[in-house]
Amino acid sequence: MPKDLTFTCSACAAKTSKWSGRCDNCGEWNTITEDKALTSGPKKKSLGGMRGNVITLTDLATQEKEPPRTKAGVDELDRVLGGGLTKASATLVGGDPGIGKSTLLLQAAARFARNGLNVIYISGEESNSQVQMRARRLGLTESPVKLAAETNLRDILTTLEVEKPDLAIIDSIQTMWADNVESAPGSVSQVRSSAHELTTFAKRNGMSVILVGHVTKEGAIAGPRVVEHMVDTVLYFEGERGHQFRILRSVKNRFGPADEIGVFEMTDKGLAEVKNPSALFLSERGAPAPGSVVFAGIEGTRPVLCEIQALVAPSPHSQPRRSVVGWDGNRLAMILAVLESRCGVPFAGLDVYLNVAGGLRISEPGADLAVAAALVSAREDSALPAEACVFGEISLSGALRPVAQAENRLKEAQKLGFTSAITPHQKKQVTVPGLTVRTAHDLAGFVEDVFGARD
């Protein structure tokens, strides 16, 4: 057996040097297949034997500084894409079932088609009549979008070769089937092969392609992780079914900033963009209540204000409960430990519930101080002023660290009518007209200043 021969499990993509009936990684039977090389090129050839054109870095100066883009006319979508759709790009969109991925992309296809692009929408999950029914409900029947219902990858590539569209939307990549791969549609090898063929075709023909990807119960896009490396942009469509708005989040973008978000509201006419997300997230906030704190955060390049809610109650169990929605549970445990060891605020025997209102998910450490304020406020049954916002990072020593783009956060707060803000002490203090900024060096000083001396 040749030494360079490798085998791959079609269920979990694990690689092995020898064939076996059962995969040692996932335990599935009869899923080990031999990896076949795409080409067996000439041996002992240097880089000069490549058929492609090789240029020097200095030649790039004569080319366009920015790749050509086409705007959809939807500011929230264009923002997440980095300024518009880039020619010859591959984009992967993932999200929970029923969250609105197909609705978003059908609306986007209609917008791009109205702006002059030749757009084809290929569905592997619905028939043409079903897509037309959704288009009628959304009021998109007058849009010049071409529809196709197909799952065979060879037929799809042939159609794209004939139609030569500017944009192709594939809904979804898990339904595509390549007849040269011996596995069922949706398997790891099928998803990887289909994504590779579509991405390569798009790059070679100057066509943009958007792939819809299903997600697993953990929230990651189903299939091999290599698919996310193949494409240029990875977007996640998030939201809670109990809330009317959805968040389109960029986690990878070769043509713009990552971690950018676009906010949409689900209506009976489809998805409508939200021009001011901060006002939406704070729209249902009532009178000041213990455990409610407004956090001035940054999502990508945009400042976003949201409400962090905490509830602290005596626990009837020997092991107190810690429940978190919209934030990192491990970071909550760290904040509780710092409050207890550095500030003398115990949470033993107390259940702690933390929620980011509106279904927004926060990942930046700048929310530490707002979370700590919400926890202490809930425990002491003492509400913060309604016109105050909070942000800052907490270290394990209890010190408060400044966060990036403090001025943008404060300007957004002032624009929404807030009159005061509590932030970590910075070497160069930021001043915003109409906004009073209070600073603290450490968490203990913050707790004493805002809630009074602790016992």
Side-chain angles (χ1 to χ4, degrees):
M1 183 179 294
K3 293 183 178 180
D4 57 349
L5 194 63
T6 59
F7 298 84
T8 303
C9 174
S10 61
C12 67
K15 291 186 177 296
T16 179
S17 60
K18 61 181 181 180
W19 184 90
S20 62
R22 184 173 184 268
C23 176
D24 295 332
N25 186 54
C26 65
E28 294 292 332
W29 288 90
N30 300 322
T31 57
I32 304 296
T33 57
E34 178 184 344
D35 287 339
K36 297 180 180 180
L38 294 176
T39 59
S40 55
K43 299 180 179 180
K44 299 182 180 179
K45 286 285 185 179
S46 64
L47 187 63
M50 293 177 61
R51 292 186 298 172
N53 295 325
V54 180
I55 63 174
T56 61
L57 184 63
T58 54
D59 291 338
L60 296 176
T62 62
Q63 300 181 9
E64 295 179 279
K65 294 183 179 180
E66 289 288 337
R69 299 178 185 269
T70 302
K71 291 186 178 295
V74 182
D75 293 340
E76 296 299 304
L77 178 59
D78 291 333
R79 173 193 294 272
V80 176
L81 291 174
L85 184 67
T86 306
K87 185 179 179 181
S89 63
T91 302
L92 180 63
V93 180
D96 293 331
I99 204 67
K101 301 185 298 297
S102 299
T103 299
L104 172 68
L105 293 180
L106 187 58
Q107 289 183 264
R111 289 295 190 109
F112 282 120
R114 291 172 186 170
N115 290 342
L117 293 187
N118 181 12
V119 182
I120 182 169
Y121 186 98
I122 301 175
S123 176
E125 301 176 346
E126 298 175 290
S127 64
N128 287 336
S129 60
Q130 290 174 323
V131 178
Q132 287 175 328
M133 288 174 57
R134 184 170 358 109
R136 281 195 296 269
R137 178 173 57 85
L138 300 176
L140 306 176
T141 52
E142 301 300 324
S143 301
V145 178
K146 299 177 181 178
L147 301 179
E150 184 56 67
T151 58
N152 189 296
L153 184 62
R154 189 182 300 274
D155 294 341
I156 290 174
L157 294 177
T158 302
T159 302
L160 295 178
E161 188 73 39
V162 174
E163 295 290 339
K164 292 182 170 51
D166 300 308
L167 169 63
I169 298 176
I170 310 297
D171 187 7
S172 65
I173 189 62
Q174 275 81 12
T175 61
M176 297 297 106
W177 174 69
D179 52 16
N180 62 328
V181 179
E182 297 180 358
S183 60
S187 62
V188 171
S189 54
Q190 283 282 2
V191 172
R192 178 174 52 194
S193 177
S194 299
H196 172 71
E197 292 290 343
L198 289 166
T199 302
T200 304
F201 182 88
K203 300 287 186 182
R204 186 172 62 247
N205 294 275
M207 175 191 77
S208 300
V209 62
I210 299 179
L211 310 175
V212 178
H214 298 164
V215 298
T216 62
K217 61 182 180 180
E218 289 81 16
I221 295 178
R225 194 76 177 186
V226 69
V227 174
E228 298 189 32
H229 294 283
M230 289 181 187
V231 299
D232 301 306
T233 306
V234 179
L235 309 178
Y236 278 86
F237 202 41
E238 306 170 351
E240 299 290 338
R241 293 183 182 272
H243 297 281
Q244 75 277 18
F245 54 86
R246 305 286 186 264
I247 298 172
L248 184 64
R249 185 185 302 274
S250 169
V251 297
K252 172 189 175 182
N253 194 347
R254 289 174 178 159
F255 311 116
D259 294 329
E260 192 69 82
I261 68 167
V263 183
F264 299 86
E265 184 178 8
M266 181 64 77
T267 67
D268 57 347
K269 296 295 184 181
L271 291 162
E273 60 177 329
V274 177
K275 299 290 187 180
N276 191 341
S278 298
L280 176 66
F281 292 136
L282 299 177
S283 60
E284 298 180 1
R285 187 169 183 261
S292 174
V293 174
V294 175
F295 164 60
I298 292 288
E299 293 290 343
T301 59
R302 163 192 287 176
V304 176
L305 271 65
C306 62
E307 181 185 3
I308 294 180
Q309 302 168 341
L311 176 64
V312 177
S315 176
H317 309 289
S318 58
Q319 184 70 27
R321 187 174 183 180
R322 305 287 187 258
S323 179
V324 188
V325 177
W327 206 51
D328 184 13
N330 293 326
R331 202 155 188 93
L332 172 63
M334 185 198 79
I335 299 299
L336 291 173
V338 173
L339 282 171
E340 185 161 354
S341 61
R342 306 298 183 189
C343 306
V345 182
F347 287 86
L350 298 174
D351 288 336
V352 175
Y353 301 89
L354 186 73
N355 175 50
V356 180
L360 182 66
R361 298 183 184 275
I362 298 176
S363 58
E364 65 162 322
D368 289 351
L369 188 58
V371 170
L375 292 172
V376 178
S377 172
R379 185 187 183 281
E380 300 299 318
D381 197 27
S382 174
L384 269 72
E387 68 279 0
C389 66
V390 182
F391 61 86
E393 182 181 355
I394 299 175
S395 66
L396 291 178
S397 64
L400 300 183
R401 295 179 176 177
V403 295
Q405 302 189 47
E407 185 176 0
N408 291 339
R409 300 171 195 255
L410 295 175
K411 286 182 177 179
E412 180 72 8
Q414 190 273 335
K415 184 173 67 174
L416 292 176
F418 288 83
T419 58
S420 64
I422 306 175
T423 70
H425 182 78
Q426 303 184 65
K427 293 182 179 179
K428 183 180 179 181
Q429 286 301 121
V430 179
T431 58
V432 176
L435 193 69
T436 302
V437 180
R438 299 164 57 186
T439 62
H441 289 274
D442 53 32
L443 185 58
F446 167 81
V447 171
E448 181 176 357
D449 182 38
V450 177
F451 299 99
R454 305 266 61 82
D455 296 333

